[in-house]
Amino acid sequence: MRVHLINPSHVSFGVAVITPRWLYVLAAATPAEYGRPAITDETLEPLDPASIAPGDIVGIGIHTGNALRGYEVGSLARARGATVIYGGIHATLYPDEAHERGDAHAVVKGDGDVVWQRVVADAVAGSLQRVYDAGQVEPDQFLPARWELLPRDRYMWASVQTVRGCPKHCSFCSVWRTDGQRPRQRMPDAVLAEVVELRRQGFRFIALADDNFYPVTLDDLRTADRKKDKQQLHTLETLRAERFELMERLAHLPDDMVFFTQITMEASEDPDFLAAMRRARIRGALVGVEAVTPEGLKDVYKDFNCSGEALVTRLSAFRQAGVHVLGSFIFGLPSDRPETFDATAALAQRAGITFAQFVMLTPFPGTIDFARWEAELASDDTRIAGVPITRHWLIPQAKRPKVYTPHPTMSPDEIRARTQGVWDRFYSLSQVWQRSRCVRSLKARLAFVLVSKLYRQMYANTGIATDSARVARSTQWARWLAKPLRRLFAARPMPELQVPGGPVPGPAA
Ligand code: SF4
């Protein structure tokens, strides 16, 4: 009997940008007596069905975007005689769907770190429950990933998690509902141990794969102080102090290391935090800008963000502190108009954003937007390929619409075409070359251009384009570009490296 862990994907690029961390965390949660788990990341290569034998246990992690492929993999595994178990955000939200569509034997809701061991034992004993409700585990129970199982030459960035949960409540996001609004923050020792292990293996680029790396804002502290809520103030100050301790210790790691994270824009108003990020070599951050107008921000319940010139100032503050911004923008908001697309592209360039992604508003399960949209369509029986539109992730990929939410003034196709136009403009050679001035040498500038092109091929053309030839061409391009680029991310292993301030245990058995 073998345990398989599978990250499903319809598209495989041969090389991936970021390691899917959950695969290696569940590998750590798999009891040693069942041997080394077989890990398949389909963003690299499709699953080889022959690798699954009768009696094997197959764990499949799904989010809404890859649920359909996950169900195909599950059905295939069950047909080969395996026991099929689903987990991940989508399975947490729709456990029955995984049974009905994906031939599940069991579904795990919530964090798998602790419960997976029991699930595997139950599967072996033939006493699986239909659903395991694992809930949210505490930070001292987050498992370190088994990085020694990572293939050497496939990923550009490794990923380490420092905090789960986000105190905000953006309408298009499910994180605060599934991971909770209370930041569950790992202690610096645990984070450092994983980071050091990765650097020992030759990874110098590490994504701090958090919901929100800045869970306590200056405003939160002021509010607790104003309300004279001593308990809350103490909790927030402790969380903040731990962030600073983590960053201070990251700063003592080898100076070729580079970190990237995900953060809210409020961090730009916190000079001490930005300075600590710089010292820690957190050189980049995904910032959810979402919209450049106040109306757009109201649409997504994100009024803690800024718009217009104030937005340019905030985004520029990251840049001035040495933190490159990957700005994330949403198109198709009710207040968007044709001129919003150009205004967004111009602002992104003016604010000195290094990378940007432009996504189309999609009602994802678990979000406020989805609940509202689903209720509005309660009496609408539109079906595509026999699937109700409110279950859009079950529509075969080729027939899936790109835009679902009716817009007051623009057609879905206009939104899609204008979004594609902004990608084309932001990633045009002239604009990319202009932005490449953020690095110094000619070699680094050329690498910047290639990474920008790769990013655009992987995320824009395969996600937005309706033309299947364009999608196929982009996949080929991305495969071709990714291999040589990955080498730029590799570093000489440092097997002797120690955690600043103390020794680190070796890899998990
Ligand atoms: S979009 Fe970002 S800030 Fe908003 S709730 Fe989700 S994780 Fe938090």
Side-chain angles (χ1 to χ4, degrees):
M1 186 282 285
R2 193 157 198 209
V3 175
H4 297 257
L5 298 168
I6 302 174
N7 185 42
S9 173
H10 274 111
V11 196
S12 306
F13 293 107
V15 170
V17 179
I18 298 183
T19 319
R21 177 177 170 79
W22 76 266
L23 286 172
Y24 296 90
V25 169
L26 278 207
T30 305
E33 63 199 276
Y34 305 118
R36 180 188 166 124
I39 292 177
T40 303
D41 177 7
E42 288 201 309
T43 67
L44 302 176
E45 304 294 349
L47 171 74
D48 174 9
S51 66
I52 298 175
D56 285 357
I57 294 171
V58 174
I60 303 168
I62 51 173
H63 52 80
T64 300
N66 68 1
L68 189 60
R69 174 61 191 158
Y71 295 154
E72 286 168 13
V73 168
S75 297
L76 181 152
R78 187 161 180 156
R80 292 188 62 83
T83 301
V84 176
I85 300 156
Y86 287 89
I89 289 183
H90 193 81
T92 298
L93 293 166
Y94 292 99
D96 291 338
E97 184 182 279
H99 280 281
E100 287 153 20
R101 299 274 184 156
D103 282 320
H105 288 90
V107 173
V108 176
K109 292 170 63 176
D111 296 332
D113 309 50
V114 175
V115 82
W116 180 243
Q117 180 170 351
R118 178 153 71 89
V119 176
V120 173
D122 286 356
V124 171
S127 58
L128 269 179
Q129 297 173 24
R130 183 180 161 83
V131 174
Y132 291 80
D133 201 345
Q136 294 164 3
V137 303
E138 289 304 311
D140 59 356
Q141 296 174 305
F142 295 0
L143 284 183
R146 276 189 70 179
W147 293 121
E148 84 281 10
L149 301 181
L150 199 63
R152 296 284 134 175
D153 53 356
R154 292 301 190 91
Y155 296 99
M156 297 180 195
W157 293 74
S159 55
V160 174
Q161 195 168 38
T162 76
V163 60
R164 282 183 206 168
C166 174
K168 307 297 182 193
H169 56 269
C170 304
S171 66
F172 56 88
C173 176
S174 62
V175 158
W176 58 280
R177 291 177 141 188
T178 51
D179 276 352
Q181 287 185 284
R182 178 174 64 92
R184 288 173 288 148
Q185 195 163 277
R186 278 173 102 190
M187 293 306 286
D189 274 347
V191 176
L192 263 288
E194 274 199 78
V195 169
V196 164
E197 194 194 327
L198 283 161
R199 185 62 193 88
R200 284 175 179 170
Q201 291 186 25
F203 274 96
R204 71 182 186 94
F205 288 86
I206 295 178
L208 302 175
D210 300 323
D211 295 327
N212 177 4
F213 189 77
Y214 186 62
V216 179
T217 68
L218 291 179
D219 202 40
D220 295 335
L221 292 168
R222 281 191 291 263
T223 305
D225 193 34
R226 206 171 44 239
K227 288 183 178 165
K228 303 204 182 321
D229 186 342
K230 286 209 173 108
Q231 176 69 37
Q232 173 69 350
L233 188 61
H234 176 70
T235 304
L236 296 176
E237 282 174 346
T238 305
L239 285 169
R240 181 172 165 88
E242 285 168 11
R243 291 278 88 175
F244 277 90
E245 185 194 336
L246 172 65
M247 291 191 280
E248 219 37 64
R249 292 179 67 187
L250 290 176
H252 288 95
L253 288 166
D255 60 13
D256 65 352
M257 297 201 72
V258 175
F259 298 91
F260 177 89
T261 192
Q262 182 159 300
I263 205 163
T264 53
M265 204 184 296
E266 296 146 307
S268 66
E269 297 169 273
D270 190 336
D272 292 343
F273 202 86
L274 287 181
M277 284 176 75
R278 186 192 188 114
R279 284 194 300 277
R281 289 181 297 275
I282 301 175
R283 292 267 159 76
L286 188 150
V287 178
V289 182
E290 326 307 358
V292 301
T293 63
E295 298 77 30
L297 293 173
K298 208 171 271 170
D299 286 341
V300 293
Y301 297 14
K302 204 152 185 170
D303 29 24
F304 58 88
N305 268 7
C306 290
S307 55
E309 281 316 301
L311 172 58
V312 174
T313 308
R314 290 279 167 80
L315 292 172
S316 304
F318 284 109
R319 182 66 180 276
Q320 282 150 16
V323 178
H324 294 279
V325 171
L326 191 173
S328 182
F329 300 84
I330 302 177
F331 286 133
L333 301 174
S335 60
D336 282 356
R337 293 296 175 267
E339 56 274 18
T340 311
F341 295 83
D342 278 350
T344 304
L347 187 138
Q349 191 73 5
R350 204 164 74 248
I353 286 178
T354 310
F355 291 95
Q357 62 184 29
F358 308 96
V359 301
M360 289 178 294
L361 182 64
T362 303
F364 281 113
T367 65
I368 291 179
D369 285 348
F370 183 86
R372 196 169 37 206
W373 177 71
E374 192 181 32
E376 280 165 14
L377 292 188
S379 55
D380 183 331
D381 52 11
T382 307
R383 287 175 178 260
I384 299 175
V387 179
I389 194 83
T390 51
R391 294 293 175 271
H392 53 80
W393 53 93
L394 297 175
I395 300 170
Q397 195 86 13
K399 294 188 176 157
R400 217 176 276 176
K402 301 289 178 187
V403 177
Y404 301 96
T405 321
H407 191 273
T409 62
M410 287 183 282
S411 70
D413 210 50
E414 182 177 359
I415 295 170
R416 192 200 60 75
R418 287 188 184 279
T419 304
Q420 183 82 57
V422 175
W423 276 96
D424 290 349
R425 181 170 153 192
F426 190 82
Y427 288 98
S428 66
L429 197 53
S430 60
Q431 291 211 0
V432 170
W433 185 247
Q434 211 180 322
R435 285 197 296 277
S436 73
R437 282 190 298 223
C438 65
V439 289
R440 285 202 198 106
S441 68
L442 180 63
K443 189 175 159 202
R445 287 186 77 174
L446 289 172
F448 181 91
V449 171
L450 290 176
V451 169
S452 297
K453 290 289 179 192
L454 175 71
Y455 187 78
R456 179 248 165 84
Q457 298 290 348
M458 275 183 164
Y459 294 102
N461 286 355
T462 58
I464 296 176
T466 45
D467 167 3
S468 57
R470 184 169 180 164
V471 174
R473 234 178 7 253
S474 286
T475 309
Q476 270 313 107
W477 257 99
R479 290 183 78 95
W480 184 80
L481 272 175
K483 284 215 166 117
L485 267 179
R486 202 214 63 85
R487 273 182 229 125
L488 296 176
F489 286 81
R492 185 180 54 82
M494 298 178 92
E496 308 305 327
L497 184 66
Q498 296 296 318
V499 169
V504 184

